[in-house]
Amino acid sequence: VSVPQVHKRWYMVHWLLAEALGDCVGILPLGRKRYKSGKTRARTQVFKLEFNDWAEVSRSVRHDVDFLKACGLCDYSLIIGSLSEKVKDNGDLPVFPGGMFGRQPYIIRRGEWMIAYYVGIIDFLQGWTTGKKVAHVIKVGFAPKPISTIQPEEYAAQFLEANEKRFEALPMREIPPGGTESFK
């Protein structure tokens, strides 16, 4: 099955121009418009985590980004999966599948709903090549800011800054003396 490309590449100059001009000539495919809309929404989405989970996610992402930067890599992305399920009528909490690493999933309660988040870094791990340098020069003039085709050190700093805004720590809950933490 062939899937039409909607991810903009630097050589899709007509897409760059159309987006810079607001697509006044109507050449952007619907799939590209949906992709861009989803990407824009993803940049502004905020995920609320329990304080300890927020601290762990922040620490883990920082550690992974430091490793990727030391390897001279860029073009990675944060992926966040979520599952939500209602608390049962009898008060039983849903059980979510475990993640591959760490304490995942990170679970919060919102009213009668439980939400499980799974967090990771994915994508093509690419070095700072001549092709990336050419793409950078083109994107400086046309791409929305902040541009993502930048040197690995800058990319790492931009990635961490964006992800500091992506997660919000919920206030810590009191645990009764001798008690255990509960979502109820």
Side-chain angles (χ1 to χ4, degrees), residues 56-138:
E56 182 179 327
V57 167
S58 297
R59 190 173 38 256
S60 296
V61 168
R62 222 175 303 110
H63 179 267
D64 291 350
V65 168
D66 285 346
F67 170 76
L68 294 168
K69 179 175 68 172
C71 293
L73 298 171
C74 52
D75 276 0
Y76 39 90
S77 300
L78 191 74
I79 184 168
I80 303 170
S82 68
L83 296 172
S84 57
E85 193 173 321
K86 234 178 180 177
V87 174
K88 312 243 183 301
D89 290 337
N90 65 3
D92 286 350
L93 301 176
V95 176
F96 295 103
M100 292 177 63
F101 306 106
R103 294 183 39 235
Q104 294 194 45
Y106 304 107
I107 301 172
I108 63 166
R109 183 170 185 164
R110 287 285 160 261
E112 59 188 24
W113 287 90
M114 300 296 291
I115 304 169
Y117 292 118
Y118 301 82
V119 181
I121 294 178
I122 62 159
D123 226 328
F124 299 102
L125 301 176
Q126 300 178 19
W128 186 244
T129 63
T130 301
K132 288 284 177 197
K133 293 173 186 174
V134 169
H136 172 78
V137 170
I138 293 170

Side-chain angles (χ1 to χ4, degrees), residues 2 6 8 14 16 23 33 55 72 105 127 129 132 136 140 149 160:
S2 178
V6 294
K8 181 174 55 186
H14 60 294
L16 285 167
D23 196 27
K33 291 178 185 178
T129 63
K132 288 284 177 197
H136 172 78
V140 164
T149 307
L160 289 172

